Amino acid sequence: MTLAVAGTLMQTPAPDQFTVTDAVVEVDATGAIVAVHDRSTPEGAAAGRAALDAAAERVELAPGTFLMPGMVDLHVHAPQWPQLGTGLDLPLERWLFEYTFPLEARYADTGFAAAVWDDLVPTLLAHGTTTAVYHSSNHLEATTALARTCARHGQRALVGRVAMDHPSGTPEWYRDATASEGVDASAASIEAVEALASPLVEPIITPRFAPACTDALLEGLGELAESTGARTQTHCAESDWHCGYALDRFGTTDPAALDRFGLVRPRTVLAHADHLTTDDMALVSGQRAGVAHCPLSNAYFANAVFRVRRALAANVRVGLGTDIAGGARPGLLAMCQDAVTVSRMLEDGVDPALGAAERGVPASRIDTATAFWLATAGGAAVVDLPVGLIEPGRRFDAIAVRADRPGGTIRLWDGFDDEARIFEKVVRLAADDDISHVWVDGASVKP
């Protein structure tokens, strides 16, 4: 069924570019964007009217409602959904062993898994997350059920069974028994997700992180990535402890070690990566991998702020991740605000005992436009998906946000708020109740 959506389109085609268009977006029956008609010109207005008249379904957004690209969450721990907002006062190792691993082990119960997935996926869609990159548990059946749930609710997703077998980095009761069993189960998970034959859902190879994986498992998963062409994801250079661990075990940085195992590849998602060195950034850029910047969870566990500006200058692909449940907010609009906030803290510094010239990292701040680009086009580029922008040739993954909802937190003032101010208010202040429409592949999926 063809679709035409008319309204004020706000998006960020580049990290420092924000555009507003009075548009009619024309979508074909497959969900591809055919044209974006700019109604500020006579020709565009006429073409837009024709598209609306010809469409099987037409949506005309009211003034005060804004059309925006759907958001790409590059890092979600799906099994951690029930623990969202808890335990974040603990150090990472205690948080994992006391909260996370016991919870993830419960996903051997497929009934429990199904109940969680059926709550998680529509909730993220309601928050405007049209694409999610998921770490599942290490259970094949639960992971397949997560992929099936994404397909059923209409969310674009990359779904990965978590592989982990290291005897000191994982509990005995929640790990792969051997490296070969972990590789075989990961291969079976790829086959199971692909067997769903969903145009929206794909598998992704998922070693949890080096401390949870033996060399044999990392090597086997690298070979699996090479043989299947599947994307990969893992945690990378997240914290002082993580980086020290890699140096002690491998004699090099975490990204360099992962690369030795064939796990830093095109379309690889490296979660966090706060501690990338200059050489690491060159490696990640050269391999056409990317970073899931998780600003909120990094504040709890990373001991540092990811240097977005420096990474972009080094041609590193960067997007945003919530890191549910290490990040205790389910939507990326809130994460955009966090990304701006932590960039200011990085630039200005946080220790008042130091002089202003010594306290921060100059030229680190990002603005709302850059943050929204990370959440949309930037994230899409990391995983090489044709989403993140509303332009011909991409898929129509989009949201509509009301800035005039009674009881909402957004206030627009005539004669005061120009287009740039409106955009900033929408990104910083909108809640899930303000998102009136969500489309994935041209289909309405708002719960």
Side-chain angles (χ1 to χ4, degrees), residues 322-343:
T322 55
D323 192 24
I324 291 168
R329 294 175 185 163
L332 281 183
L333 288 177
M335 216 54 57
C336 289
Q337 179 162 301
D338 290 331
V340 173
T341 299
V342 300
S343 78

Side-chain angles (χ1 to χ4, degrees), residues 2-4 24-26 37 46-58:
T2 58
L3 169 70
V24 176
V25 181
E26 189 175 352
H37 304 291
R49 284 195 299 272
L52 286 166
D53 290 341
E57 180 183 359
R58 53 189 288 172

Side-chain angles (χ1 to χ4, degrees), residues 330-366:
L332 281 183
L333 288 177
M335 216 54 57
C336 289
Q337 179 162 301
D338 290 331
V340 173
T341 299
V342 300
S343 78
R344 292 293 299 270
M345 297 175 75
L346 178 62
E347 178 167 295
D348 294 340
V350 297
D351 185 354
L354 298 176
E358 304 171 289
R359 194 180 303 144
V361 180
S364 293
R365 72 177 64 189
I366 65 172

Side-chain angles (χ1 to χ4, degrees), residues 178-422:
T178 66
S180 61
E181 288 186 20
V183 174
D184 290 345
S186 295
S189 183
I190 292 173
E191 293 175 1
V193 173
E194 290 179 339
L196 298 177
S198 168
L200 298 178
V201 184
E202 299 180 55
I204 184 167
I205 296 168
T206 309
R208 190 176 203 110
F209 65 159
C213 301
T214 62
D215 287 12
L217 180 58
L218 294 171
E219 182 177 359
L221 293 175
E223 292 171 352
L224 183 64
E226 178 67 25
S227 64
T228 62
R231 294 173 177 84
T232 62
Q233 65 175 340
T234 191
H235 300 82
C236 179
E238 181 177 0
S239 64
D240 291 330
W241 171 81
H242 191 172
C243 292
Y245 176 93
L247 187 62
D248 290 343
R249 177 173 163 187
F250 303 113
T252 189
T253 66
D254 193 45
L258 293 169
D259 186 55
R260 290 177 185 174
F261 292 110
L263 292 168
V264 181
R265 312 168 51 81
R267 309 187 302 174
T268 292
V269 182
L270 300 172
H272 308 292
D274 296 74
H275 296 262
L276 293 185
T277 67
T278 299
D279 288 345
D280 291 336
M281 287 191 181
L283 168 65
V284 173
S285 173
Q287 293 285 43
R288 293 182 290 128
V291 171
H293 174 35
C294 306
L296 182 57
S297 70
N298 289 349
Y300 294 110
F301 297 129
N303 314 120
V305 173
F306 179 71
R307 295 167 292 182
V308 171
R309 284 287 180 204
R310 183 175 176 184
L312 295 178
N315 295 315
V316 175
R317 293 165 172 81
V318 184
L320 285 185
T322 55
D323 192 24
I324 291 168
R329 294 175 185 163
L332 281 183
L333 288 177
M335 216 54 57
C336 289
Q337 179 162 301
D338 290 331
V340 173
T341 299
V342 300
S343 78
R344 292 293 299 270
M345 297 175 75
L346 178 62
E347 178 167 295
D348 294 340
V350 297
D351 185 354
L354 298 176
E358 304 171 289
R359 194 180 303 144
V361 180
S364 293
R365 72 177 64 189
I366 65 172
D367 60 12
T368 304
T370 301
F372 189 72
W373 176 86
L374 294 172
T376 53
V382 171
V383 288
D384 189 28
L385 289 172
V387 297
L389 278 175
I390 297 176
E391 65 179 12
R394 299 204 184 213
R395 312 303 295 179
F396 187 65
D397 290 10
I399 63 174
V401 182
R402 286 190 63 182
D404 59 355
R405 181 177 64 87
T409 58
I410 304 172
R411 301 287 186 275
L412 302 183
W413 301 90
D414 292 338
F416 177 74
D417 285 320
D418 59 11
E419 292 173 341
R421 286 177 180 268
I422 292 171

